[in-house]
Amino acid sequence: MTDRWSADSYARNARFVADLAAPLVDDLAPRPGERILDLGCGDGAFTAMVAASGATVTGIDASPALVAAARARGIDARVEDARELAYAAAFDAVVSNAALHWMLPPDAVLRGVSAALRPGGRFVAEFGGKGNVASIVTAVVAVLDRRGVDGAAAIPWYFPTAAEYAARLEEHGFTIDRIALVPRPTPLATGMAAWLETFGGAFFSALPEPERAPAASEAETLLAHALRDDAGNWTADYVRLRFRATKR
Ligand code: BEZ
């Protein structure tokens, strides 16, 4: 599979992903000596925050480039597909920050997470929920449609409601401790073009190469009405789905 991620672009344009994750570490409450799996560890910036507790943390990610960046910061990171986890009661907790929306189908992921946890183990995560980046999705779907590509079919993300995801968690053997959809407008220090470059690759790759940059630029122009202020600052319309669940 092609690796669409660039560790440099991620470090430049996605630093906020880990910077905003302190509440998730608090929810996880990692303890020294616990075995914790970080699902979708990216470049390991968030994993390092969890490891600072003294827990033994393993990170997995599908991107070889991001796993290499995580290993460079001393994380035990592995290239693995979260839909094909093969761990059996190996972890006290599984955590995931801003990654589950990339992992489709969700049931394949939940099956593996449930098996990876010991009974009583916890699954604590935050990812994009219903309505996440809705303006961005609407603009990008429109620019793809205008170019004769089915934009809706190219949406690479899964943004469920709390009720839908809670039902899936329960089906896979979890008790829900808490789950909520939380709007979190997110300032983009490096702007919308950089966000689209870093996170929109899966979308724009549906177009022939020469059309990708003009399409991204058109999406940026459309989005300025909703997401850019008069001073030129961009804020993305993030909505987080946050939960803590316990394996029965
Ligand atoms: C998110 O964290 O919600 C997100 C990140 C990249 C693309 C889409 C959503």
Side-chain angles (χ1 to χ4, degrees):
M1 206 206 269
T2 331
D3 188 352
R4 287 207 189 86
W5 294 97
S6 145
D8 286 346
S9 163
Y10 198 87
R12 222 176 18 256
N13 302 320
R15 192 69 300 129
F16 67 88
V17 174
D19 289 349
L20 296 173
L24 182 59
V25 181
D26 291 345
D27 274 1
L28 175 66
R31 293 184 288 272
E34 279 196 310
R35 301 155 304 161
I36 299 181
L37 177 66
D38 179 9
L39 215 56
C41 67
D43 66 2
F46 169 74
T47 327
M49 291 163 68
V50 177
S53 65
T56 302
V57 189
T58 302
I60 66 151
D61 203 285
S63 161
L66 294 183
V67 165
R71 293 175 77 94
R73 60 168 93 226
I75 303 293
D76 169 22
R78 307 168 188 175
V79 178
E80 278 182 36
D81 187 330
R83 298 165 301 183
E84 294 170 8
L85 296 178
Y87 300 98
F91 295 101
D92 301 301
V94 175
V95 68
S96 184
N97 180 39
L100 290 170
H101 48 257
W102 293 101
M103 300 174 188
L104 293 167
D107 289 314
V109 179
L110 286 171
R111 194 174 307 119
V113 171
S114 184
L117 282 168
R118 64 161 172 82
R122 55 209 194 279
F123 184 22
V124 182
E126 164 174 327
F127 68 111
K130 185 72 182 168
N132 193 43
V133 295
S135 308
I136 300 176
V137 171
T138 303
V140 178
V141 165
V143 303
L144 292 192
D145 284 350
R146 264 171 43 77
R147 287 165 172 79
V149 168
D150 181 353
I155 296 173
W157 306 306
Y158 166 64
F159 298 141
T161 62
E164 179 190 337
Y165 205 71
R168 287 189 195 276
L169 284 163
E170 279 166 358
E171 263 171 41
H172 287 279
F174 289 94
T175 300
I176 313 296
D177 303 316
R178 52 179 175 268
I179 187 163
L181 213 49
V182 183
R184 194 203 62 198
T186 299
L188 302 180
T190 56
M192 182 53 67
W195 193 95
L196 292 172
E197 175 201 317
T198 304
F199 295 119
F203 246 132
F204 292 107
S205 62
L207 291 171
E209 164 62 33
E211 291 186 36
R212 292 179 193 168
S217 167
E218 190 181 322
E220 186 190 15
T221 303
L222 287 172
L223 283 163
H225 299 289
L227 302 181
R228 193 178 65 189
D229 69 15
D230 291 345
N233 303 305
W234 288 90
T235 302
D237 47 350
Y238 275 42
V239 177
R240 315 318 290 162
L241 184 58
R242 292 183 184 148
F243 69 87
R244 182 195 140 116
T246 301
K247 163 91 178 285
R248 288 195 289 269

